[in-house]
C-alpha cells in the first residue's frame, strides 16, 4: 500500500519538477524576445510524460505468465538517460533579426503551464486530505 502511495507522490513530484523547469524555459524565451538570433526553446511534454511512465515501474502494465509456453517480455531498464530534452521550437515565424520567439505563444504556454502546476498541487493536497480522513476514520 505504501509503495503505491509513494509511487503516486513520486510521479507528481516529477511532474511538478517538469512544470517548474518548463516555466523557467518559457520565462527565458519571454525575456529574450528581442535578443537577435535567439531560438525559442521548449520541452516536448508528451514525450517526457511517456518516458516518466516507462521509467516508473509501479505504473507499468505487465502480464502474468500462467504457462511455460507464454513469451516473456524483453523490456530493458534504462534510467541513465535524462528525463527531458530541451529543443528549439519549430516555427515559420522568424523575425528579421533571426529571433524565433512568438510572444503570443509564449504567454499562452506560460499560463497553461502555471495552471497545470497549480492543478497538480491541488491534486496532491486533496490526496493528502483524503488519506488523513481515512486514517482518522
Amino acid at each position: 500500500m505504501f509503495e503505491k502511495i509513494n509511487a503516486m507522490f513520486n510521479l507528481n513530484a516529477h511532474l511538478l519538477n517538469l512544470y517548474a523547469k518548463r516555466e523557467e524555459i518559457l520565462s527565458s524565451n519571454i525575456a529574450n524576445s528581442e535578443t537577435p538570433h535567439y531560438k525559442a526553446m521548449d520541452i516536448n511534454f508528451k514525450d517526457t510524460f511517456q518516458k516518466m511512465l516507462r521509467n516508473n515501474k509501479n505504473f507499468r502494465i505487465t502480464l502474468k505468465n500462467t504457462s511455460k509456453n507464454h513469451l516473456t517480455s524483453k523490456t530493458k531498464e534504462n534510467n541513465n538517460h535524462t528525463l527531458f530534452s530541451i529543443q528549439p521550437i519549430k516555427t515559420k515565424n522568424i523575425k528579421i533579426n533571426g529571433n524565433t520567439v512568438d510572444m503570443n505563444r509564449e504567454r499562452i504556454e506560460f499560463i497553461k503551464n502555471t495552471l497545470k502546476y497549480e492543478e497538480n498541487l491541488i491534486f496532491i493536497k486533496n490526496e493528502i486530505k483524503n488519506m488523513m480522513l481515512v486514517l482518522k476514520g
Side-chain angles (χ1 to χ4, degrees):
M1 178 175 139
F2 289 113
E3 291 175 8
K4 289 185 180 184
I5 292 171
N6 195 23
M8 181 193 68
F9 284 120
N10 280 341
L11 178 65
N12 285 302
H14 287 302
L15 282 173
L16 287 175
N17 288 334
L18 181 62
Y19 291 135
K21 184 64 181 175
R22 187 165 188 238
E23 195 158 303
E24 285 178 25
I25 294 167
L26 294 171
S27 297
S28 177
N29 288 345
I30 291 170
N32 289 296
S33 65
E34 298 299 324
T35 304
H37 306 290
Y38 180 81
K39 306 293 180 216
M41 307 298 267
D42 203 352
I43 297 172
N44 186 336
F45 189 83
K46 183 179 177 185
D47 290 345
T48 303
F49 188 67
Q50 287 176 347
K51 277 185 193 176
M52 287 171 55
L53 290 178
R54 274 195 306 259
N55 291 339
N56 194 337
K57 294 177 184 176
N58 294 322
F59 288 98
R60 187 172 295 153
I61 298 171
T62 58
L63 299 175
K64 184 177 180 181
N65 291 343
T66 56
S67 168
K68 65 179 182 178
N69 295 327
H70 288 166
L71 299 174
T72 57
S73 64
K74 295 180 180 178
T75 57
K76 292 182 178 180
E77 295 295 325
N78 186 4
N79 293 328
N80 294 330
H81 55 81
T82 57
L83 190 59
F84 56 86
S85 62
I86 302 168
Q87 300 170 343
I89 298 169
K90 295 176 184 171
T91 181
K92 294 179 181 176
N93 298 330
I94 301 173
K95 297 177 187 170
I96 294 172
N97 63 5
N99 188 306
T100 62
V101 176
D102 178 0
M103 284 301 290
N104 290 332
R105 179 211 175 267
E106 300 303 324
R107 286 185 190 119
I108 291 169
E109 292 299 324
F110 189 86
I111 291 169
K112 283 171 51 179
N113 194 63
T114 302
L115 290 173
K116 287 178 183 176
Y117 186 89
E118 290 180 13
E119 174 188 338
N120 205 350
L121 283 177
I122 291 170
F123 174 79
I124 292 170
K125 179 182 167 186
N126 286 336
E127 286 297 316
I128 292 171
K129 193 184 291 183
N130 287 339
M131 282 189 258
M132 294 302 291
L133 285 173
V134 169
L135 291 174
K136 287 181 182 176

